[in-house]
Amino acid sequence: MRIVGLNGSLSSTSNTYKGVKAVLDHAAEHGAETVLFDLRDTPLPLFHPERRDQLADENVYRFISLMDEADGIVLGSPEYHNMMGGAFKNALEWVGGRQFKNKPVALISATGGPSSMTTLSAMQSMVRSLHGWVVPVFGSIPGTTEFKPNGEFRDPAMQLRFMTIGAELIELSKLLKQRRQDWEQR
Ligand SMILES: Cc1cc2nc3c(=O)[nH]c(=O)nc-3n(C[C@H](O)[C@H](O)[C@H](O)COP(=O)(O)O)c2cc1C
């Protein structure tokens, strides 16, 4: 089972990154192979629909390949202007239904305010349009959230919530992988 996470924040102190990592760590504890694609280390060029030469970009190739091979996906975006961040949205323009169809997708968003539900709802709408299956438990990270040095949430309820997201993602990944295999054999 391969789970791929995307951190869509470029901030050096990103809470989005910490949330995506918490889900991936929990998935890894349950035997998943996890990969975190972090836009801070592997930036992607601005998507242009007519620039096919951009597909030769090393980071673009790696991102598309990882998403192709993923059985489950964790998407993390910062909340900017009540919406997905631009770098995050740009990354998603490099992929489409081929990478998302019949795959489960966990959604994480960090905000400066108390809740990033507007952004998470927009992310949900985007994933639905790509025919992905949204994990029902959302990962909203309020601006006041504190983390331990090992990356865990200080609040046990938050830690449990992100572990639940990881557990649901793994379970759905298994079910949907089987479903994709069944369809391929028809
Ligand atoms: C350009 C910009 C726009 C933002 N817009 C909002 C916003 O609409 N609502 C909000 O609560 N916080 C907003 N914030 C605060 C971020 O959501 C907050 O810093 C969050 O932690 C960003 O995620 P990150 O820590 O992963 O970078 C904004 C920050 C920036 C830089």
Side-chain angles (χ1 to χ4, degrees), residues 18-19 21-22 25 146-154 159:
K18 290 169 191 159
K21 186 150 186 328
D25 285 351
E146 291 180 13
F147 293 85
K148 296 179 189 173
N150 67 0
E152 287 183 6
F153 291 87
R154 274 209 192 283
Q159 182 62 23

Side-chain angles (χ1 to χ4, degrees), residues 6 44 47 55 60-68 73 75 88-100 126 130:
L6 168 68
L44 298 176
F47 176 78
L55 289 167
V60 169
Y61 180 79
R62 177 165 164 73
F63 182 58
I64 295 174
S65 304
L66 283 174
M67 297 292 271
D68 273 341
I73 296 168
L75 295 181
F88 168 82
K89 182 60 171 57
N90 179 62
L92 268 292
E93 283 163 20
W94 283 107
V95 284
R98 195 184 80 192
Q99 288 79 19
F100 277 84
M126 178 186 69
L130 299 172

Side-chain angles (χ1 to χ4, degrees), residues 131-172:
H131 295 194
W133 293 49
V134 173
V135 171
V137 181
F138 282 175
S140 172
I141 309 176
T144 51
T145 305
E146 291 180 13
F147 293 85
K148 296 179 189 173
N150 67 0
E152 287 183 6
F153 291 87
R154 274 209 192 283
D155 177 359
M158 279 292 276
Q159 182 62 23
L160 180 62
R161 189 174 181 86
F162 277 69
M163 285 168 69
T164 305
I165 295 171
E168 288 196 353
L169 181 64
I170 290 287
E171 192 158 346
L172 278 170

Side-chain angles (χ1 to χ4, degrees), residues 7-18 77-83 109-115 119 141-143:
N7 168 36
S9 167
L10 304 184
S11 163
S12 61
T13 58
S14 170
N15 280 350
T16 302
Y17 164 80
K18 290 169 191 159
S77 174
E79 177 164 273
Y80 286 171
H81 308 327
N82 260 1
M83 194 32 76
S109 178
T111 179
S115 163
T119 297
I141 309 176

